[in-house]
Amino acid sequence: MIAGGTVVVVAATVLTSSSDQRHLADGSRPASAVFDGTPLEGARVTGRLGGVIDTYGGYVVDALRTNSEFYEAADVALTAQWEARAASIAAQDERDAAPGPAPTASPSPPADDAPAAEPDVETTDEPAVLAQEPEPEADQEPPVTVLVVSDLHCNVGMATVIGSLARLSEADVVLDAGDTTMNGTTVEQYCVTTFARAVPAGVPLVVSPGNHDSEETTAMYARAGATILDGHVVEVEGMRVLGDDDPNATRVGAGGTASRGESAADMGERLADEACQARDVDLLLIHTPAVGDAALDSGCVPAQISGHFHRRSDPKQVGLGVRYLSASTAGATLGEATLGPLNGTAELTVLRWDPTSRMFLDYQVVSVHTDASVEVTARLPWPVVELPSPTEPDGAELPPGVAAGALTPSPR
């Protein structure tokens, strides 16, 4: 995708700059074969750069075609695997809902000349009282489907896969756990815009910027339609989400990683305070996992989703909440580029959140491999938090929103 953008930009520049060279006869150079099969097929490149494009442009166009073919194949595989898994889940649900074994048949009625059996219970003149059916439960709201991506690092090839999975899963919300760009440069506007446009219309996109993102690229993401977390609670589809940008900034070739002005510990305490004051936070979305330690320990945040490490860690209890770490949706691998076909397995996660209990129900991991094959797991249960006794050994009361035996949401 990036390669394709480069071809178009370079070619358009050459064509434009050459159009004013009136001393060159129109059509003095034949159409460049480099652009065959692309939107610029038939274009004539004049001037001294024409030869350069003819010589080296083919490498770029070949890279573009390879890239497109890879992600098109991955998209086809995703659709097939998701539909197969969905059919398996539907079949299991149908089996679970099926009635139990049929009751044993009643004995045949006695013959006409046989006396009827006496009832085993005494008869009474009082009217019979029928056993009451249990009251049906009130209609519950359907689960909210959440699609999580992280550490995209400008791999715009995955945009098609993200959009397809959002539609296949009927996602209500898309969460981006940060590091959407490679270096937070203004030229990476194409990256954040491409990802924002991949999300189906009407589906909220909520972002916690990472250490490779910047104020500039984050502002571009916001202009493209993303909701950027800034330390305050936002509500999407009934879910209350808290988060912020990463406390650190990493700039390749410009001194590495440095603090943005607030330490990770200070940000963590600030977010924990915000969550406890709000008393209704359902999820902490923050790029670097450790920033959420204080909030999880406080008991004011039941769940946290993060990225940063480019490897998945299945949901597990941390403090008084559950933390899930998403792997890289770009297939980011140490020492390998994230542009072009995948150099490592890319992962996306589909979760279901129950608006009644205000807890996550389950999650599915979608893996795209380096051969463009796709794997979709079954729905895996979200773990239940094990809570301490109502008082700690020192007699301190549990934090607001926590009850012994079960993690219950604070009153709203």
Side-chain angles (χ1 to χ4, degrees), residues 264-290:
D266 288 345
M267 176 177 284
E269 292 293 339
R270 173 169 59 81
L271 292 174
D273 290 344
E274 177 70 20
C276 291
Q277 289 176 13
R279 297 180 63 86
D280 58 2
V281 173
D282 300 307
L283 173 67
L284 176 66
L285 179 66
I286 194 74
H287 180 66
T288 299

Side-chain angles (χ1 to χ4, degrees), residues 153 155 182 310 328 330-344 370:
H153 288 295
N155 184 357
M182 291 186 289
H310 296 183
S328 168
T333 303
L334 185 63
E336 297 285 350
T338 53
L339 302 180
L342 294 174
N343 289 303
T370 56

Side-chain angles (χ1 to χ4, degrees), residues 242 268-269 271-272 275-276 284 291-302 320:
L242 173 66
E269 292 293 339
L271 292 174
C276 291
L284 176 66
V291 176
D293 286 352
L296 292 174
D297 288 342
S298 72
C300 298
V301 171
L320 297 173

